[in-house]
Amino acid sequence: MRGRTVNSADTTIRDVAGRAGCSIATVSRVVTGHGPVSEEMRKRVVAAALELGFPLARAFPETRPVISILIPSLTNPVFAAAVAGIEQRARSAGMFTILGQSNYDPAQEEAIAATLIAERPIGMIMTVCDPSSSLALQRLRKAELPVVTIYNEDTPQGVAAVQVDNRAAIRQMADELVALGHRHILFLAGKFISSDRSASRYAGYRDAMLAAGLSPAPPIEVDFIDASRDIDLTEVMVEWQPTAIMASNDLLAVTVIASLRRAGLSVPEDVSVTGFDGIDFARHIHPRLHTIRQPSQVMGTLAASLLLDMATGHKAPQQLRPDFIPQAGDSIAPPRQRDRSASFSTKRNPKS
């Protein structure tokens, strides 16, 4: 049975039972939520239904008052703020939420999405690594459950989304640095394979550099989870001698500032630093971070409202784009006139 290809339009619960290796009665207990069934068997039945393209909206006629949420990580406050907005809107509608974290890993993303689908939610709000190739998003669409992506750009047509214009936002901030006199600007980002947002922001940096007649440097891609703890910029600074570093999010920007300080460099006197997201604690570090604020809690509320409207049949999927908000800080300044070939090594070795 596992080798058989089934047309999703003709798939029945009998086909699902055959693929899962269980009885029709077991499938019935799983899809209705009535009767005993082990967690392992429940996962097998749901996986079989998804593999066969059997619409789980049809399999689960009785959804629970639950909104499922899939995000990369709660360690980044930007996602926590969005979840707060989702939960607030869900509670006002008498709903509960279930949360999963993918750790910026496409494989975990897919597995967690399948688990969340099995909870029979009214729909899901998710931030995926790349919406154009996300198997997790494809699972939701096959299941015919309402889905809204949040933060993701280039979400496929027909899928609801709430996101800011990352590319335009970063271009605007890069233009500021160029206007201050910076010509040697680096872009440090979370790995593009883990974040379409990082890729869009780098594209905005390239746009600004090329428009100014400058050569964009290749991106410095780092792991989101590990880099939030520490980044060693020694080789980067020696090779490129930048006067400014643009980080693809605020957490990375804060880590960049710490790394520069360990190297004996001052921000913004020696190197200007910018971030992205506008998380609250970035306003309280010294120097106050120059960044772009996303209205994350509002975006979460919008996503939940859109999902509820879709689930009740009141609205078709829409793609909403709230405005980003430039947030001026003290972490940028005009570049110093200095001997770029020696500045970093001199700072690191003041006695040499």
Side-chain angles (χ1 to χ4, degrees), residues 5 20 62 79 134 143 159 188 211 215 225 241 268 271 275 285 294-295 314:
T5 300
E62 297 180 10
F79 296 117
S134 171
V159 177
L188 184 142
S215 298
I225 303 298
Q241 293 290 315
V271 183
I285 67 168
Q294 301 189 79
H314 293 157

Side-chain angles (χ1 to χ4, degrees), residues 76-95:
N76 189 334
V78 73
F79 296 117
V83 169
I86 295 167
E87 290 187 332
Q88 184 178 29
R89 181 66 184 91
R91 284 196 301 271
S92 71
M95 297 275 174

Side-chain angles (χ1 to χ4, degrees), residues 245-259:
I245 298 176
M246 304 187 76
S248 67
N249 70 35
D250 286 351
L251 283 183
L252 293 178
V254 170
T255 311
V256 165
I257 291 173
S259 179

Side-chain angles (χ1 to χ4, degrees), residues 76 78 151 153 164-171 173 187 197 200-201 246-254 274-279 282 289-294 324-325:
N76 189 334
V78 73
Y151 297 117
E153 291 201 84
V164 301
D165 190 337
N166 291 274
R167 186 169 184 166
I170 284 289
R171 172 162 184 174
M173 193 155 55
F187 193 87
R197 289 84 65 205
S200 292
R201 293 167 194 172
M246 304 187 76
S248 67
N249 70 35
D250 286 351
L251 283 183
L252 293 178
V254 170
T274 67
F276 196 106
D277 284 336
I279 58 179
L289 186 63
H290 192 86
T291 188
I292 296 287
R293 185 166 74 84
Q294 301 189 79
F324 57 84
I325 305 157

Side-chain angles (χ1 to χ4, degrees), residues 219-275:
I220 303 165
E221 295 185 59
V222 297
D223 182 88
F224 276 105
I225 303 298
D226 292 339
S228 63
R229 303 186 187 104
D230 184 44
I231 299 174
D232 184 355
L233 294 175
T234 305
E235 293 184 10
V236 170
M237 295 300 296
V238 170
E239 179 179 1
W240 293 97
Q241 293 290 315
T243 62
I245 298 176
M246 304 187 76
S248 67
N249 70 35
D250 286 351
L251 283 183
L252 293 178
V254 170
T255 311
V256 165
I257 291 173
S259 179
L260 292 171
R261 284 176 175 161
R262 286 195 301 273
L265 296 168
S266 298
V267 176
E269 292 81 6
D270 294 309
V271 183
S272 290
V273 176
T274 67

Side-chain angles (χ1 to χ4, degrees), residues 32-304:
T32 62
H34 301 304
V37 61
S38 70
E39 182 64 18
E40 180 183 356
M41 178 55 71
R42 186 168 70 93
K43 290 180 179 179
R44 281 171 54 187
V45 169
V46 172
L50 291 170
E51 288 171 10
L52 293 171
F54 184 58
L56 289 179
R58 170 153 52 101
F60 297 157
E62 297 180 10
T63 57
R64 299 168 61 208
V66 167
I67 294 175
S68 291
I69 308 169
L70 174 60
I71 58 172
S73 174
L74 273 176
T75 59
N76 189 334
V78 73
F79 296 117
V83 169
I86 295 167
E87 290 187 332
Q88 184 178 29
R89 181 66 184 91
R91 284 196 301 271
S92 71
M95 297 275 174
F96 300 94
T97 58
I98 298 177
L99 177 68
Q101 300 180 72
S102 68
N103 295 309
Y104 296 94
D105 182 343
Q108 289 189 46
E109 206 174 76
E110 183 185 8
I112 293 168
T115 300
L116 292 174
I117 290 169
E119 296 296 331
R120 295 181 291 130
I122 65 160
M124 190 180 300
I125 298 171
M126 61 200 314
T127 301
V128 295
C129 295
D130 183 350
S132 66
S133 60
S134 171
L135 295 179
L137 182 56
Q138 291 174 29
R139 279 182 179 269
L140 265 293
R141 300 187 76 181
K142 284 183 180 179
E144 295 184 1
L145 287 173
V147 58
V148 181
T149 66
I150 184 169
Y151 297 117
N152 289 120
E153 291 201 84
D154 300 323
T155 296
Q157 288 297 315
V159 177
V162 179
Q163 82 283 332
V164 301
D165 190 337
N166 291 274
R167 186 169 184 166
I170 284 289
R171 172 162 184 174
Q172 180 175 309
M173 193 155 55
D175 285 341
E176 288 185 68
L177 292 173
V178 171
L180 285 173
H182 291 278
R183 299 295 179 266
H184 304 279
I185 305 171
L186 292 185
F187 193 87
L188 184 142
K191 290 181 178 178
F192 293 170
I193 193 173
S194 299
S195 171
D196 66 322
R197 289 84 65 205
S198 285
S200 292
R201 293 167 194 172
Y202 177 71
Y205 155 83
R206 279 182 53 86
D207 292 343
M209 295 292 281
L210 293 172
L214 302 172
S215 298
I220 303 165
E221 295 185 59
V222 297
D223 182 88
F224 276 105
I225 303 298
D226 292 339
S228 63
R229 303 186 187 104
D230 184 44
I231 299 174
D232 184 355
L233 294 175
T234 305
E235 293 184 10
V236 170
M237 295 300 296
V238 170
E239 179 179 1
W240 293 97
Q241 293 290 315
T243 62
I245 298 176
M246 304 187 76
S248 67
N249 70 35
D250 286 351
L251 283 183
L252 293 178
V254 170
T255 311
V256 165
I257 291 173
S259 179
L260 292 171
R261 284 176 175 161
R262 286 195 301 273
L265 296 168
S266 298
V267 176
E269 292 81 6
D270 294 309
V271 183
S272 290
V273 176
T274 67
F276 196 106
D277 284 336
I279 58 179
D280 286 340
F281 82 76
R283 293 180 296 171
H284 304 296
I285 67 168
H286 180 76
R288 187 163 46 93
L289 186 63
H290 192 86
T291 188
I292 296 287
R293 185 166 74 84
Q294 301 189 79
S296 294
Q297 186 159 345
V298 170
M299 291 169 69
T301 303
L302 286 173

